[in-house]
Amino acid sequence: MRPQAGPHAAPAAGSPTTPADSAATPADSAALPATAEDPAAVSGQDTRAVGLAAVRGAIAVDADTAPAIARATHDLLTALLTANRLERDDLVSLMFTQTPDLTATNPALALHEAGWDLPALCAQDAAFAGAPARTLRVLAHLRWARPGRPVPAYLAGAAPTRPAASGPGSTREPDKV
């Protein structure tokens, strides 16, 4: 087994030290074979393959009360985590919007009060003709290490705000629950 070289690494007992060893960089260690001490080698997973993805979701809220908004926030995030087989730690940050008729509280405050330690931002949803009432939307940024895209979640009658196709001849499929 070759020891990891670096400015503060001690050579293994009985191994010679050369200028090349003391000048090794983190990039050099990527070329080393996996060892039993390497968690990626033990688990068989490549821990460097995690990327960033975003997924949308929405939920209709029963009433303009703090408990109803908190419950809807929790239900929406639970649905997104479950649908994508994720843990809470996989979430990086959250961007919420809520319709102008939801004023009792906001999702970021509800999460904070529930003990979530996660960056979250809230804004008022854009008003447009035919907009649904009492709707909470989220854009969740998450760590994603699988092929494909995360699955969005639309609950309690909420639906995506943009049409299934982006324009004439688009091959974009509609979002699925």
Side-chain angles (χ1 to χ4, degrees):
M1 177 171 89
R2 181 177 166 188
Q4 294 288 330
H8 303 289
S15 64
T17 304
T18 66
D21 285 336
S22 62
T25 65
D28 295 330
S29 65
L32 297 175
T35 65
E37 291 84 31
D38 180 359
V42 173
S43 69
Q45 296 177 344
D46 182 358
T47 58
R48 297 167 291 168
V50 175
L52 183 66
V55 62
R56 297 179 302 139
I59 188 169
V61 182
D62 294 336
D64 183 24
T65 64
I69 292 169
R71 187 173 41 259
T73 301
H74 179 268
D75 291 350
L76 180 55
L77 292 179
T78 298
L80 282 173
L81 292 173
T82 300
N84 292 290
R85 298 183 320 272
L86 297 170
E87 299 294 325
R88 189 187 295 188
D89 289 346
D90 292 319
L91 294 172
V92 174
S93 65
L94 302 166
M95 173 62 195
F96 289 100
T97 64
Q98 59 192 50
T99 53
D101 52 0
L102 293 175
T103 61
T105 192
N106 68 63
L109 181 57
L111 288 176
H112 175 73
E113 289 173 348
W116 288 54
D117 183 23
L118 183 68
L121 181 64
C122 296
Q124 189 174 47
D125 204 7
F128 58 93
R134 292 189 319 271
T135 302
L136 176 70
R137 298 186 183 282
V138 68
L139 176 64
H141 304 98
L142 46 102
R143 290 175 189 85
W144 188 254
R146 291 179 230 141
R149 293 181 177 185
V151 178
Y154 295 96
L155 309 175
T161 56
R162 61 185 191 202
S166 299
S170 174
T171 59
R172 183 179 171 284
E173 292 184 21
D175 292 329
K176 297 180 175 76
V177 176

